[in-house]
Amino acid sequence: MRRFALDYPEEVSGIVLVDPMRIEEWPPLDPGKQSEIDRGKKLFRIAIPAARVGLARLAVTSLFLRSGPRCAAVCRRRRQGRPARPRPHQRTRWARCRARSGPSLPPHWSRPGNYAGMRRHVEAVPDTVREMRNAEPIQKIPVRVLTPGNSTPLTDEQIGRIGNRVQQVIAPASAHWIHLDQPDLVIDSIREMVTAAAAQSMAAAD
């Protein structure tokens, strides 16, 4: 998204980054995480043929069924107006997925194409880091960065490397998947960015 905004600034009115990748934490800048990339590539090499013969669907469906009680607890807390962040043993990725997306997730996570796309993403991490390492900051375009509450906030230096109109918002009840933990925060951020862009466009037209 940052690269697109830098290459086509006339096409971008605002950006919302949801826990964006921090390039300093990945190879080649941080070789210590190369093992994670290697494990990911091996996993996806297994997952793609597994998805083709239906094993991935069986495994994913089983995980979603086992997450049922935890999912129910998450939903019940939200209906009661209690904090969205449940107790640690309830906060599994599958429970959050099921709570928010219901039956639409198993088919997606069962597709060979899903794992092929994830494999290409993981394989491209080093090239992405090299490309963005010395990228210039985005100028004039407003950027909102949503940072999970369980992560270290971006420093002023890191924010400055993103752009000159960056606002960081902490999602206090979220892990990496902010769109599942605090979807309203993501939705409101996008709506506010669209509203501000529309107002600016109308002002310019006047």
Side-chain angles (χ1 to χ4, degrees):
M1 297 300 99
R2 290 172 55 194
R3 183 75 268 168
F4 185 91
L6 289 168
D7 291 345
Y8 305 98
E10 70 282 356
E11 299 290 335
V12 181
S13 297
I15 304 171
V16 176
L17 299 176
V18 182
D19 194 17
M21 176 184 179
R22 304 185 187 192
I23 62 170
E24 64 273 10
E25 297 179 353
W26 294 95
L29 297 184
D30 182 2
K33 283 201 172 182
Q34 183 62 47
S35 60
E36 292 189 28
I37 294 178
D38 294 338
R39 284 197 301 271
K41 290 192 289 188
K42 290 179 182 178
L43 174 63
F44 297 133
R45 279 199 294 268
I46 297 171
I48 293 172
R52 287 178 179 144
V53 299
L55 291 178
R57 178 179 292 273
L58 179 63
V60 171
T61 302
S62 176
L63 282 170
F64 267 69
L65 289 174
R66 289 203 303 270
S67 72
R70 290 186 291 269
C71 167
V74 172
C75 293
R76 184 169 59 251
R77 291 172 67 90
R78 289 197 176 104
R79 287 197 301 268
Q80 295 171 348
R82 298 164 67 188
R85 190 174 191 174
R87 291 189 295 274
H89 69 276
Q90 295 172 337
R91 284 187 298 108
T92 69
R93 176 173 295 181
W94 296 110
R96 297 200 307 273
C97 281
R98 188 179 180 196
R100 287 297 179 184
S101 304
S104 65
L105 260 292
H108 174 70
W109 283 91
S110 303
R111 292 176 51 251
N114 174 55
Y115 296 104
M118 293 172 68
R119 182 187 64 187
R120 288 192 293 270
H121 168 72
V122 170
E123 291 174 343
V125 165
D127 287 338
T128 299
V129 170
R130 293 187 187 96
E131 179 178 354
M132 297 306 296
R133 179 179 184 179
N134 297 314
E136 62 272 23
I138 299 169
Q139 301 295 320
K140 299 181 180 179
I141 299 173
V143 179
R144 179 173 295 188
V145 179
L146 303 184
T147 299
N150 70 342
S151 296
T152 302
L154 297 175
T155 65
D156 290 341
E157 180 182 357
Q158 290 171 317
I159 291 174
R161 287 200 295 266
I162 295 175
N164 66 347
R165 293 185 59 189
V166 179
Q167 175 194 18
Q168 178 174 215
V169 176
I170 305 299
S174 291
H176 175 57
W177 289 11
I178 300 175
H179 56 290
L180 293 180
D181 292 326
Q182 292 183 260
D184 289 342
L185 177 61
V186 178
I187 294 170
D188 290 344
S189 295
I190 295 172
R191 284 176 171 166
E192 290 169 10
M193 191 68 73
V194 171
T195 300
Q200 183 176 350
S201 178
M202 291 179 62
D206 293 340

